[in-house]
Amino acid sequence: MEDKRISPSSSLVDAKSSVADSSVLQIRGGHSLQGHVRISGAKNSALVIMAGALLCSGDCRIHNVPSLADVEKMGRVLSALGVNLQQSGSVLDVNASQITTSKAPYELVTQLRASFFAIGPILARLGVAQMPLPGGCAIGARPVDLHVRGLQAMGAEVQVEHGICNAYVPGHSRRLQGAKIYLDIASVGATETLMMAATLAEGETIIENAAREPEVVDLANFCIAMGAKIQGAGTSTITIEGVPELHSTEYTIIPDRIEAGTFLVAGAITRSELTLIEVVPDHLLPVIAKLRDIGVTVLEEAPHSLRVLPADSLKATDIETLPYPGFPTDMQAPFMALLTLSEGDSLINESVFENRLRHASELNRLGADIRVKGNAAFVRGVPMLSGAPVLATDLRAAAALVLAGLAAEGKTIIQGLHHLDRGYDQLDVKLQQLGANIERLPSS
Ligand code: EPZ
């Protein structure tokens, strides 16, 4: 990634999206892969840590930032708020000493749900925030009621009108107050929004039924590095003691466990031996356990490396997606691709999002045998998939189609690459380097 200053008008993300829209992936399947792949920084850490940098009135240097369209978009949201960002490769320098407005840009926030999480830091810093509602997306309605109710518990007044969440902290101090908050759902985003808001609040905040994802812990560690007082991140109860301000820091983002899981499945579905470097195996325990259920051997090589070995046969298994440390919903689509070629019947229950099985119909276009009923997918293994033109409907669906294309006999053409480029750092290039016959072509 070249050096660049990110500004509200920086058009790289538009260019990237438009390039993605004007190109397709062509995959000729049936090839095994080999070699090793370095896993990039976690998308879902990078986005929320960028929002977290708003809490600091000094310089923050963030390492291991992945090169993603969503990161570009988040940079443009922050830049529109007056934040100074400089990126050099995977290092991002952020200075939020001058937040020039509390009003986030409507057209950007509605395209990037994670940018809504910035309402916490903005409210904590300025005492006022106008944040567009992120709106729904392909996988569900994606409400933000838990974020709003938590901020209200901390003393904010919040009204929603014309699609914008208007929040302000009444009173002379305009400072949020610590509160005891119970989340009806262990929401990742709500936990992150409220944890960030609480770092600068007056007094103690306790978040019960908090999300336990590694990206929540990563955000907490980033805030602690800036001087925040947070305990219990990674457990269901997080306690935050508010402080007057946070100071500059330098921080390195954790590896992306979902990218790592995607490559483990790539090895499994192509019956290949692959080595993943710069991973945190402990973040992948439910994924590794499920691969072993299917008959795939995954070995922990060195402290930050995993090796997947070719399986003689793939066995059917059942999957239910759950909040961490349960099986991650973001790995549901990649595993569905794998299970289409497993012997026997598998049942997949998508318990986190209400509409995250749309990739099933596209996998059926490749010869899979999947029946969807409500939030359940019944996958009957088939001996072989056959290449065809398919359309990605969301980020992880795009990954599932790439994985299926790697195994399918013949040529698969995948449209909707802007979904893929939102959340995977050069997935096609990395697969090419592992020996896959995959190339990005003009859609014409
Ligand atoms: C985060 O989304 C991730 N995104 C998602 O990754 C991930 O799938 C999800 O967590 C679950 O792990 C980022 O971190 C940027 P939630 P988030 O709030 O925070 C409901 C990917 O592919 N809910 O934990 O939006 C919600 O509708 C993306 O990388 C409310 O009802 O997820 C969902 O059913 C996709 N009210 C459930 O909770 C709220 O106020 C879990 O959502 C908030 C959430």
Side-chain angles (χ1 to χ4, degrees), residues 276-299:
L276 280 58
I277 57 176
E278 297 196 26
V279 298
V280 178
D282 281 355
H283 293 167
L284 285 149
L285 297 182
V287 170
I288 293 168
K290 197 49 73 176
L291 283 170
R292 286 175 178 157
D293 283 353
I294 295 170
V296 179
T297 303
V298 180
L299 303 173

Side-chain angles (χ1 to χ4, degrees), residues 25 27 43 137-140 142 258 262 265 269 328-338 340 350 353 355-366 370 385 388-406 412-424 427 431:
L25 275 188
I27 304 173
K43 166 180 84 82
C137 68
I139 65 176
R142 312 296 293 275
I258 306 302
T262 304
V265 174
I269 205 168
T329 173
D330 295 346
M331 285 305 303
Q332 178 259 108
F335 266 74
M336 187 185 288
L338 180 60
T340 65
E350 173 50 62
F353 289 108
N355 189 31
R356 204 177 196 176
L357 295 170
R358 294 175 61 191
H359 39 280
S361 53
E362 292 302 300
L363 289 170
N364 284 341
R365 210 188 286 277
L366 297 174
I370 308 167
L385 296 176
V390 288
L391 176 67
T393 49
D394 64 76
L395 166 56
R396 307 303 174 183
L401 295 172
V402 170
L403 296 169
L406 292 174
T412 297
I413 302 284
I414 303 174
Q415 290 184 308
L417 293 195
H418 63 284
H419 291 298
L420 193 71
D421 293 338
R422 293 191 51 181
Y424 284 94
L427 180 68
L431 286 169

Side-chain angles (χ1 to χ4, degrees), residues 25-42:
L25 275 188
Q26 175 183 284
I27 304 173
R28 292 186 188 281
H31 299 268
S32 63
L33 310 178
Q34 63 177 19
H36 67 271
V37 58
R38 181 193 171 280
I39 299 303
S40 300

